[in-house]
Amino acid sequence: MADHAPVTEGGTPRWNPARVEDAALVTGGGRFLDDMDPLPGTLVATVVRSTQPHARLVSVDLSRARAQPGVAAVIGPEEVRAAVRPFPLSTTTPMAYYPTALDKVRFVGEPIAVVVASDRYTAEDAAELVTVEYESLDAVVAPRPALLPDAPVLHEEAGDNVATDRTFSFGPVEQAFADAAHVVEADYDFPRYSSVPMECYSVIANWQDTADGPAVETWANFHGPFTMVPVMAGALGIPTSRVRLHVPADIGGSFGIKAGIYPYVVLMALASKHAGTPVRWTEDRIEHLLASASGADRAMRFSAAVADDGTVTALKVDLVDNVGAYLRPPEPSTLYRCFGNITGAYRIGAVEIRARAVVTNTMPTGLNRGFGGQQLYFGLERLMDAVASATGRDVVEVRRQNLVDHFPYETPTGGVYDSGDYPAALDLAVKNAGLDELRARQAAARAEGAYYGIGVGLVVDPSGTNIGYVGLATPSEDRKPGRDKSGSTEHVRISVDMQGLVTVMLGSVPQGQGHATVARSIAARRLGLPEEQVRAIVDMDTSTTPWTVTSGSYSSRFAPLVTSAVVEAADRIAATVRAAGSVLLDLPPEELELVDGKVRHRDDPERAVLFRHAAGVVHWDPGALPEGVSARLYEEAAFTPREVRAATKDDRINSSLCYGFVAELVAVRIDPDTLEISIDRVSSVHDAGTVLNQQLLDGQVHGALTHALGGAMYEEFTYADSGQPTSATFLDYLCPTSAEAGYDLRTDHIVSPSPLTPLGAKGCGEGSSMSFPVAFANAVADALGPHGIEITRLPLHGEVLHQLFENTTTKEIH
C-alpha cells in the first residue's frame, strides 16, 4: 500500500509512494523488447562490421552470402547509397553520415552490410561470407593529434578533422587577466566511457509500401531525445508522420547512450524493405562495446585570472571534444549542454570559450549521463584546487569565497540560476564528512608513510535542457531567420474513464527512474484520489502518445518539466470534475474540493459525492453540465517555460530551465606498496528543489555515484595508435560492482524550491556523475601532491599511479 502522507522537512512536503514499477521486474514480469514478438514472420538480421579503423572500401562482395539457404536479403553500401540520405547534422560541416560506410570505413565496428535470414545462426554464418577488400589508411584516435596539420583526414571534403570551431567572449576577459595577481592554468583530459546497460540495442522494423506512400513501423529500446525522429525520417526520405516508433515500458538501462540507436532503426527499416518482411536485430555485447555510443573524451585547457585574496575574476576555457568518426546528432551537444553554467558555482564575471569538436577513427559519441557536465567540472574543479594552491588557501575556503550567494543569478554566458543556497550545502557536506576527523586520519597516514587525500567537488546541476543550445555551434550570422530552436516542452495526457479510473500517459520513456510512480502520485494528489485509482503509462507509441521533438529522458527533464505538465493536465481535469460534482450537489463549483476520492463542500465535508459519480455525469449526462463546461475528461497539457529561449545574437543562452547544486567531499587511501586506491568516505549533499520522492532521489544519487565511480577508477574506451580498440570486452573494459561501491557514504540534501516549476522540483539524476569524478581526482591529487605527482586525467587506478610515479622519478634523474 502506498504511503500518501507527506513527510515534512523545512516546511516542504515530500511524498514517498511505493515504486509501482518494481513488482513486475523482480518477479520476471518485465516487458523488454527481446520479450516481444509484435509481428508474425519477423526475420533476424546480423550486421557485418569493419575490421579496419580507416580504409577505403575497394570492394564489398555480397554474392556468396545472398546464395546461402535461409537468407532473405543482404544489403550493403550500394543499397544504402541508393535509398538513404545522409542524416541531417547539427552543423553545416561537410562530413556526411550514413547508417553504413559507403566509400570508406572510419572506425572498427562501423556497419558495412546487413544480412537478413530465417534465424540468427543462419544470418551470422552468411555474414562471414561477405567479402570486403580494404585499402588501409593511417588512423588518428585522440583529440589533440587530430588537430595537427599532418593528421590523417577522415572526411576529405571537410579538409581537416575539425567538425566545429567557435570562440565566445563575455565581459572584460583580457583586462581581468592583465590586472590579475595570479594567472592559474593547466591542461586536463577526461576519458571516453559509457554506461554499459544490461540490455544492448534492439530493433524491430517493418517497411510498408502503402497507397499513401512508404511507411516505417519500428520497435526499439530507444530512450529519446525525440529530436532523432525527424532525423530518421529525413534519412529515409519520408514524412515524420510516416515513421511510427514504439518504445517498450521497460528498457534495460540507457543513461543516454540509447539515443544513439537511431542509425540502426534506419538501417533495419531498409533491410526490411529489401527482405519484404519485418526484421529484428539485437546487438551483442562485443558489438555494443565496439560501435554503439559513448560519452565524448575531452582535451581541455583552463585558465583563471585570480586576485591576491583568491577571488577568480575571469576564466578562459579551451575545449576539444573527440566525437569519434562522425559528428553524429545530437553532437556537438556535449560542448554546449552546460554553456549557461560554464562558470559553475562561482561568481566569475568574465569568460572566454573556445569550443571545438574533432573527428577521429573511434566510435561516434553522444549522450552519456551528465554529458558535458562531467567534462566541464573535471577541468573547472581541478582548476579551483590549483587556485587554492597558487594563493596559499584551503581548497574549501577558496570555493566558499567565490560561491554564488544570491538568486536568481545570471551568468556571463546567459544562464539564470533560479534558486539555491550553495554555502549552506557546502557547509552541510563538510559537516557530514567529519572533515576535522578526516584531516586527522590524513596526518596519521602520512606519519606512517601512507597516502591519504581529501577532495572537494562542487557542481551546478542543470536540468530541463533548452535544446536551443545546439544552435551555438553555428555563428549567429549564419543562423537562418525563423529557424531558431529553443524549448523544454513536455506533453502529458490524462483521461478519466466511466468508472472514475484515471490514466496518465507520459512521453518521457524512462529506464528505471520511477517516472510512473511519481506521475501517478502527483496526479492522485491533484485529483484527491487514492493512488490505486490512477495508473501511468510509460511505453511509447509516437502515433498515439503525446510527444514533441524535445520529449525524452535526458538532461534530468522529468522532475521539472514532465511533472509540471502532469500538474497542469490534472488541474484541468479537476476543474471539470468539480463542475460535474456541482450538478449532483447543487453547489457552486468554486465551493467544492477533491479529497479522499470524493467531491465535497469545503466547509461541510459531509456534503459530498464520489469522484467516480461526478465523472459519470460527464460521460452519461453531459447535457446537465453547467453552461460553458466541456463534456470532456481528457486533457493534454504542454508545459513550455518561457524562460528558455533561442540563443541571442551575441550568443548568450539560458541552456537549462533549472539549476540544482551538489557539494561532494571524497576521502581516499592509497596503499604505499601496491598503489591501490580505496575510497574511505564520501559526503554528498544535493539541492534538487522540492523532493518529490525521497526513495527515488536517494536511488538516483547512489546510481550516479556508482556510474561516476566507473569513469573515475575503471572504465575507459582505449585504442591503439593504429586505431584498433583495446577495450572491446569486459576483460579490458572494467566496470565497478557492488564490492567497489561499499565505502562509507553519507548523503543529505537541502531544499531550495525552484520558482519556475509548479512543484518547485529540479532534476537530480545526473549530479554526482559530474561531481564525484573530480572530487575523487582532487582527493588523489591531495594524497600524492607532496610527492610531486600531478593529476590531470582520469581514470585513476594502481597502474596509472605506477606510471605517474615512474615518470616523476625519471624526471628527477634527468
Side-chain angles (χ1 to χ4, degrees), residues 19 89 155 187 194 249 257 273 275 280 310-311 362 397 400 418 435 437 479 496 522 585 597 614 633 647 652 666:
R19 280 176 51 101
L89 304 183
H155 301 266
D187 294 325
S194 190
I257 64 166
K273 177 181 180 180
R280 173 191 292 273
T311 300
T362 59
E397 292 310 314
R400 184 179 282 113
D418 47 320
L435 185 55
E437 176 198 349
R479 297 176 205 146
V496 185
I522 291 170
L585 293 169
L633 283 175
R652 300 174 78 252
V666 176

Side-chain angles (χ1 to χ4, degrees), residues 380-560:
L380 181 60
E381 288 296 294
R382 286 295 296 125
L383 182 74
M384 291 304 292
D385 268 24
V387 168
S389 177
T391 57
R393 281 166 169 72
D394 175 77
V395 294
V396 173
E397 292 310 314
V398 80
R399 286 173 168 82
R400 184 179 282 113
Q401 177 176 332
N402 284 282
L403 281 178
V404 169
D405 57 5
H406 65 277
F407 297 88
Y409 172 82
E410 187 167 359
T411 70
T413 50
V416 181
Y417 298 172
D418 47 320
S419 65
D421 190 340
Y422 299 172
L426 175 57
D427 290 345
L428 185 56
V430 168
K431 175 186 174 184
N432 290 351
L435 185 55
D436 290 341
E437 176 198 349
L438 295 180
R439 285 177 172 158
R441 290 187 184 187
Q442 182 180 52
R446 288 180 173 176
E448 297 170 358
Y451 309 123
Y452 192 104
I454 304 163
V456 183
L458 308 183
V459 307
V460 173
D461 184 3
S463 58
T465 282
N466 172 8
I467 66 167
Y469 67 69
V470 179
L472 292 168
T474 302
S476 59
E477 61 270 20
D478 295 336
R479 297 176 205 146
K480 295 180 181 178
R483 303 283 289 275
D484 286 335
K485 295 180 175 64
S486 73
S488 295
T489 299
E490 280 292 353
H491 286 233
V492 165
R493 184 178 298 153
I494 299 182
S495 60
V496 185
D497 71 10
M498 289 170 284
Q499 294 180 318
L501 297 177
V502 177
T503 298
V504 182
M505 184 176 288
L506 308 176
S508 57
V509 290
Q511 318 105 49
Q513 301 99 317
H515 291 188
T517 294
V518 175
R520 177 189 192 220
S521 174
I522 291 170
R525 296 202 309 268
R526 305 300 286 201
L527 296 172
L529 294 173
E531 289 181 11
E532 294 76 11
Q533 204 166 326
V534 181
R535 67 168 182 152
I537 297 176
V538 297
D539 48 341
M540 159 66 77
D541 178 346
T542 54
S543 68
T544 58
T545 305
W547 65 282
T548 177
V549 290
T550 59
S551 293
S553 184
Y554 64 105
S555 296
S556 299
R557 298 170 59 82
F558 176 78

Side-chain angles (χ1 to χ4, degrees), residues 493-756:
R493 184 178 298 153
I494 299 182
S495 60
V496 185
D497 71 10
M498 289 170 284
Q499 294 180 318
L501 297 177
V502 177
T503 298
V504 182
M505 184 176 288
L506 308 176
S508 57
V509 290
Q511 318 105 49
Q513 301 99 317
H515 291 188
T517 294
V518 175
R520 177 189 192 220
S521 174
I522 291 170
R525 296 202 309 268
R526 305 300 286 201
L527 296 172
L529 294 173
E531 289 181 11
E532 294 76 11
Q533 204 166 326
V534 181
R535 67 168 182 152
I537 297 176
V538 297
D539 48 341
M540 159 66 77
D541 178 346
T542 54
S543 68
T544 58
T545 305
W547 65 282
T548 177
V549 290
T550 59
S551 293
S553 184
Y554 64 105
S555 296
S556 299
R557 298 170 59 82
F558 176 78
L561 302 179
V562 179
T563 64
S564 297
V566 171
V567 167
E568 185 175 334
D571 287 353
R572 291 183 199 163
I573 293 285
T576 302
V577 172
R578 282 195 299 269
S582 72
V583 173
L584 299 176
L585 293 169
D586 195 22
L587 290 168
E590 59 272 16
E591 295 182 10
L592 302 179
E593 62 181 1
L594 306 182
V595 179
D596 294 334
K598 299 175 182 178
V599 184
R600 71 184 193 188
H601 193 274
R602 294 183 186 277
D603 300 322
D604 185 5
E606 296 302 316
R607 297 190 65 182
V609 294
L610 293 176
F611 177 98
R612 62 185 179 90
H613 290 163
V617 171
V618 183
H619 286 288
W620 297 105
D621 191 14
L625 292 172
E627 188 70 27
V629 175
S630 174
R632 187 175 82 170
L633 283 175
Y634 171 98
E635 293 290 346
E636 183 170 327
F639 181 69
T640 305
R642 304 296 295 172
E643 292 80 8
V644 285
R645 304 289 183 91
T648 62
K649 291 296 183 184
D650 60 352
D651 291 319
R652 300 174 78 252
I653 192 168
N654 188 23
S655 49
S656 290
L657 174 65
C658 302
Y659 298 87
F661 183 70
V662 183
E664 221 143 61
L665 271 76
V666 176
V668 301
R669 292 181 180 273
I670 302 174
D671 186 290
D673 298 319
T674 66
L675 297 183
E676 180 182 5
I677 307 169
S678 58
I679 299 170
D680 188 31
R681 182 175 296 169
V682 174
S683 172
S684 184
V685 172
H686 290 245
D687 180 358
T690 302
V691 178
L692 301 177
N693 183 297
Q694 188 65 50
Q695 179 190 34
L696 294 177
L697 186 146
D698 291 343
Q700 289 294 309
V701 171
H702 295 173
L705 282 166
T706 304
H707 194 166
L709 180 64
M713 296 185 69
Y714 303 99
E715 298 182 43
E716 183 179 19
F717 284 114
T718 55
Y719 292 82
D721 290 340
S722 65
Q724 288 292 335
T726 54
S727 54
T729 74
F730 283 150
L731 289 174
D732 302 296
Y733 189 89
L734 303 180
C735 301
T737 69
S738 57
E740 285 74 41
Y743 47 79
D744 177 5
L745 174 60
R746 304 177 179 189
T747 63
D748 212 332
H749 66 276
I750 67 169
V751 175
S752 298
S754 173
L756 306 180

